[in-house]
Amino acid sequence: MRALWLLSLLFATAIWAAPFEQTRQIQIPGTYYFTPARSGGEWAAFGYVSKVEPTPEELEAHEKRMRTIIDEGIRREYGSWEKYEKAMREAGRKAAAREESGAPSWVKRLMPPAVVQEAVPLFLKGALTYAKSHPEASKEPIGNLGETGVILVSGRGEWRKVALGIDQPVLSLDFSPDGRELAVLTDLSVEDSKGRYHPVGRIDVLAVPSGKRLYSAIFANAVDEVCFTSDGESLTFLVENPKKWNQKALRFIDRKTWRLEKRTLLFDSRDSSGEAFGKSYRVPHYRFSPNGERVALLLKDGGIGLFDTKSLRPVFEIEGGGGAFVFAHTRPWLFDDNGRLWNYETKTLRWRTKESYKPYRCVAFLPGDGRIVASTIFGALRIFDAETGRTVAASRRHESYAGLFFPSRDGRHIFGFMSAPHNRFAAYRGCLKRRAVALKVLDASDLRLRQLVDFADSTVLDATAGDDALFISDFDTIHIYRRSER
């Protein structure tokens, strides 16, 4: 009997043991606010700044800058605040119509369509007004950021600090498919004497792990994203029309010669970025198919356009949607935030999810392409069978909710960002304050919570997973976790 009890205990321990254990904490003097994060296999990269405490003069300047950016943005996109308000009223009307036709009855009772129609324009206008007049509400460092750059860190705890400039925050990171190079987009935007904002981006390519700079160039109007093509032949980046921000262009840099290519793909897009459950997020404007032959673009109306990467000719257009979309790893499939799985070679819809909790905020294929993971706008997770669309697992308790997530490379776990328990706030040095975020480690087979990373006096700022390690950052520390199970 005693042997049976011990066997049961060992079995339970094996099931419930935390799959990752912390092996290293890295604190580097003069480096803070480690985000964004990206993994290239053995190595991961984090952006950093060297100053987080703004002066009163910087707060005042930031307030002026926010007013200028918002006012100019409204003028460029809509012509005037009056036209903006008219457009928002129309957006409210459309949102109400969508809810009236598609939302379940309990949603309509909680938020009647008539209330939605009035709430949408009022909320959006209120958010802009608040942003203009409350710079201290910023959750990110503002003003003079000092030295900026990236930290390269391995699962074994090795690290390299690569300074890239002064007051140039890192916007986007991407590892080459072979993991040997890291592309970094930093913000060099300036304001002229009249306070007008001019976006400028700088792209650096670094050798991994040495951090040696292989390429560097500055581009006017380069914003948001830098990305290697799936075949590794080109490095791509996004530029926008400074007079019409929804007009984008995808540019290509030859990876062998580092010369800017002539091919340019013009498209109208939308920004699907914001904050969910305390975590900032950005939906990519474009993604490449696994073989690099197709590039998918997020269009202005939320649809998705597929183009031939070499010729840039249109191949297929998917109508409707809200933002998130993802390619399968090996099959000619694309899954969108409306719960639709498309075969982009045959241009056919394979299936559509039946549940009403859409659009999905975050979507991903698990390795092998047998299953698809999606999170609802409420943070509930769903796992679908990729062949049939059948739901094979779903969040049943709030502990397995995760509004934003990414899967491990082997597909065994899902790492999800969610507001920390009790919705507490985390502050740093009296100048940064944000809703605290925890990282959940969920079993990818049944969404069972396996581990919770919750920093008592801080917050999970960003995270990424390597081949055999999990990298998590907070305001001033990078935490390394290694697998404790095989």
Side-chain angles (χ1 to χ4, degrees), residues 85-142:
E85 291 174 358
K86 181 179 179 181
M88 292 305 99
R89 287 194 295 270
E90 177 64 15
R93 185 191 65 78
K94 291 181 179 180
R98 285 195 298 269
E99 184 187 16
E100 182 67 43
S101 63
S105 58
W106 65 268
V107 172
K108 295 179 183 179
R109 289 196 298 270
L110 287 175
M111 184 64 72
V115 175
V116 171
Q117 181 170 341
E118 296 297 324
V120 168
L122 183 63
F123 171 77
L124 293 174
K125 183 177 180 180
L128 288 178
T129 303
Y130 185 80
K132 287 172 63 178
S133 58
H134 292 77
E136 72 278 5
S138 176
K139 300 176 179 65
E140 302 178 359
I142 63 175

Side-chain angles (χ1 to χ4, degrees), residues 383-399:
I383 299 181
F384 304 104
D385 182 280
E387 288 286 352
T388 65
R390 180 175 59 89
T391 302
V392 296
S395 298
R396 285 187 168 83
R397 296 181 179 179
H398 194 269
E399 68 177 17

